[in-house]
Amino acid sequence: MREFDKALVLCQYFEKEKIDFLGKKVIELGSGTGLVGILAVLLGGDVTLTDRENVLSQIQYNVSINIPSDSKHRSKVCPLAWGKDHVHFPTDYDFILGSDIVYTSLTYPLLLKTLHHLSKGSTIIYLSSKLRKGNHSISFHEELLPQHYNCQRVHMVESKAISVYKISSIKPAAGDDVAA
């Protein structure tokens, strides 16, 4: 399986559902090739593409050859180590995107900490993952995330065991006393 299959599935989902990024503040975690973030820029988003430092030159190159010059100002490539330097990023993204970032349970607490920091009440998170029993990705999406967020599988390519999840803030139930 190609490493970017999860990114392609997420991009195809955005196309099918006509997800609107126009004027939205977007961050892509673990950008890899930058495919998902580049699409979000092409669809009008103001996008920060992030990954480990050693991957950034490839992402920057892909951005430079795939985004027209009149749209480049809406893209930014930055290093981001989950659970460490996430505090240097804003907390008000409209969308958080990630493809193939749920692959080792060792990083799940760091990823969760980063998601909490980057999201506000109305943030929508889209994750595309290959579900694997050995790395507990199924339990991440079906047990861990639902403890903190509304999490629903919105698309699946069964032949490749790739699922797209839409994740949003848990809204307090009517009548819950919410501290100001």
Side-chain angles (χ1 to χ4, degrees), residues 28-43:
E28 182 187 11
L29 303 179
S31 297
T33 63
L35 178 65
V36 173
I38 289 168
L39 176 65
V41 171
L42 295 175
L43 294 175

Side-chain angles (χ1 to χ4, degrees), residues 128-177:
S128 178
S129 301
K130 178 171 176 65
L131 300 180
R132 305 169 180 106
K133 290 181 183 175
N135 69 358
H136 306 288
S137 60
I138 296 169
S139 64
F140 178 81
H141 288 292
E142 296 179 5
E143 296 170 21
L144 182 60
L145 275 178
Q147 292 175 28
H148 306 276
Y149 297 97
N150 289 320
C151 182
Q152 60 181 350
R153 183 175 14 207
V154 292
H155 181 67
M156 182 171 187
V157 177
E158 289 190 44
S159 63
K160 297 181 180 185
I162 298 173
S163 291
V164 174
Y165 289 87
K166 180 179 180 181
I167 301 146
S168 59
S169 174
I170 294 177
K171 309 276 190 285
D176 281 357
D177 186 24

Side-chain angles (χ1 to χ4, degrees), residues 5-54:
D5 277 351
K6 281 71 71 185
L8 286 174
V9 167
L10 189 54
C11 289
Q12 290 165 346
Y13 174 78
F14 292 156
E15 177 184 32
K16 176 181 159 233
E17 296 298 320
K18 298 177 178 29
I19 304 298
D20 182 17
F21 292 109
L22 188 61
K24 302 296 184 181
K25 188 173 182 178
V26 181
I27 187 166
E28 182 187 11
L29 303 179
S31 297
T33 63
L35 178 65
V36 173
I38 289 168
L39 176 65
V41 171
L42 295 175
L43 294 175
D46 295 307
V47 182
T48 303
L49 297 92
T50 68
D51 211 315
R52 296 180 314 263
E53 187 79 45
N54 64 326

Side-chain angles (χ1 to χ4, degrees), residues 77-131:
V77 178
C78 300
L80 172 56
W82 301 341
K84 296 180 181 146
D85 57 8
H86 62 279
V87 296
H88 303 295
F89 287 79
T91 60
D92 62 346
Y93 288 96
D94 296 303
F95 291 98
I96 301 172
L97 312 176
S99 62
D100 201 28
I101 62 172
V102 179
Y103 54 85
T104 174
S105 58
L106 297 174
T107 63
Y108 296 168
L110 302 174
L111 175 56
L112 199 56
K113 188 174 187 180
T114 301
L115 291 173
H116 284 315
H117 174 80
L118 298 174
S119 60
K120 59 182 179 186
S122 61
T123 301
I124 301 294
I125 304 167
Y126 286 104
L127 299 179
S128 178
S129 301
K130 178 171 176 65
L131 300 180

